[in-house]
Amino acid sequence: MTTITSNLQAVRDAIATAATEAGRSPDDVSLLAVSKTFTPDAIREAYQAGQTCFAESYVQEALNKIAALGDLPIEWHFIGPIQSNKTRAIAEHFARVHSVDRLKIAERLSAQRPAHLPPLQVCLQVNISGEASKSGMPPDEVAQLAMKVAQLPHLNLRGLMTVPAPSDDVAAQRAAFAQLRELRDQLDRQGLRLDTLSMGMSHDFPAAIAEGATMVRIGSAIFGARDYPQDGLSNNP
Ligand SMILES: *Cc1c(COP(=O)(O)O)cnc(C)c1O
């Protein structure tokens, strides 16, 4: 077994354990493999081990890999900061976007989604921890944006995403993830049904699953350490 294959199995086992401990079904948590900075060969290997959904953070890097892996029916997700001049490429090449945090970006993605494709699935990125340098919108603006995004014709609003400030303290991790869940519940009471909570990365996914994550975004625990730290979490496009 290759390292990627065995890492993937270990991550799947850990997801199942965390779900079971939380009284949830492991089937209710899907695994998104974050392949930014890793090669098409590494992605191919993970695909052969049964992983079908992959996420990228940088548009040009992603387009190169999508082309190189065009023979595989991979579902591509975009999770990085979105600049206006990149919305067309995202609308044309991805199934889902997790990092929508402005109406202007949502409108462009909807307008640029090709007619022959199903609606672009989107999550709104929320800045739970309130760090100035991070992407994502303030929690108190989410309801208003969500109502507008839900009206856009070529988008399908699926849920919320967050990247909390990194912490080794499980209680702090859970508190941040609980805030995103509460926000989802609040929208639910306002009549907006969202089925996705995209939260949890390699260092904190068990806490995210305990708080209701339906999709965890995991890179280094599958593919190994990246060459540069915290990439994609900063403002580096
Ligand atoms: C890089 C990244 C991940 C994965 O991080 P790991 O620590 O490698 O699991 C998840 N979400 C976002 C938004 C990222 O940029």
Side-chain angles (χ1 to χ4, degrees), residues 4 33-43 54-65 69 76-79 218-234 236-237:
I4 288 175
V34 179
S35 47
K36 67 183 180 210
T37 80
F38 295 103
T39 62
D41 282 348
I43 296 171
F54 291 85
E56 291 284 334
S57 294
Y58 312 104
V59 174
Q60 193 52 54
E61 179 190 337
L63 295 182
N64 294 341
K65 292 183 202 175
L69 295 163
W76 292 101
H77 295 225
F78 190 78
I79 60 173
I218 300 190
S220 48
I222 296 171
F223 295 107
R226 283 183 297 273
D227 278 348
Y228 47 102
Q230 297 300 311
D231 44 277
L233 307 183
S234 68
N236 182 353

Side-chain angles (χ1 to χ4, degrees), residues 32 75-79 82 90-91 93-100 106 109-110 113 117-124 149 152-161 193-196 198 215:
L32 183 56
E75 182 178 302
W76 292 101
H77 295 225
F78 190 78
I79 60 173
I82 306 176
I90 294 172
H93 295 281
F94 289 82
R96 187 186 286 234
V97 179
H98 295 237
S99 43
V100 172
L109 290 170
S110 180
R113 181 67 167 173
L117 294 178
L120 184 63
Q121 310 298 302
V122 304
C123 291
L124 302 182
V149 171
L152 294 172
H154 304 293
L155 303 186
N156 185 2
L157 180 61
R158 296 293 297 275
L160 305 177
M161 181 275 238
R193 302 266 176 281
L194 301 178
D195 64 14
T196 302
S198 168
M215 194 174 282

